[in-house]
Amino acid sequence: RHDRSMCMTMGTVIPFGNKPWFRYTMGWMTPPNMVMLKSLRRPTDREKSIREQVWQDAGFPAERLTESVNKSHDLFEIYPLLCYPCKIIDNG
C-alpha cells in the first residue's frame, strides 16, 4: 500500500488486508515488509503470482478509453487498472 513497487499488487499479497477483522486486529502491522512477505510465500504461490501479474503500458486517445478498458478486461481480467492522462505533443 505504501511501497511504490507494490501499491497495485497489495491485494494479491494480502488478499484479506481490507477486511474489517484484519484491519481492526492487525492493521497496526501494515504497511508490511515486502521482502519478508515474499520470503514467507511458498514457491508455487510465488510462481503463480509471477504468471498472473501484468505490467503493461498502452497509449490511446482519451475518446477510446471505454473501448480500451473493455479490451483490457477481455484480455487479462486483472484489476485494478491504473489510468492517467498524458499530453502528446507533435513537434514535427
Side-chain angles (χ1 to χ4, degrees):
R1 184 170 84 178
H2 300 285
D3 186 327
R4 202 177 268 183
S5 66
M6 295 300 290
C7 67
M8 297 296 289
T9 60
M10 191 55 66
T12 60
V13 175
I14 306 176
F16 48 83
N18 210 26
K19 303 276 186 201
W21 67 266
F22 178 82
R23 293 182 68 99
Y24 182 73
T25 60
M26 292 177 267
W28 60 271
M29 293 190 303
T30 58
N33 180 329
M34 297 310 294
V35 174
M36 181 190 74
L37 284 179
K38 287 179 179 180
S39 67
L40 294 175
R41 296 176 84 186
R42 296 179 301 185
T44 53
D45 291 339
R46 288 207 52 178
E47 182 70 22
K48 181 181 175 193
S49 71
I50 289 169
R51 301 218 179 269
E52 290 182 358
Q53 290 177 351
V54 176
W55 304 93
Q56 181 68 49
D57 290 334
F60 50 85
E63 55 270 2
R64 296 184 70 185
L65 176 63
T66 302
E67 179 185 341
S68 301
V69 169
N70 289 337
K71 186 66 167 178
S72 174
H73 173 77
D74 293 342
L75 292 173
F76 305 114
E77 293 187 43
I78 297 175
Y79 291 93
L81 298 177
L82 175 61
C83 297
Y84 55 89
C86 66
K87 185 174 185 177
I88 300 174
I89 300 172
D90 183 7
N91 290 324

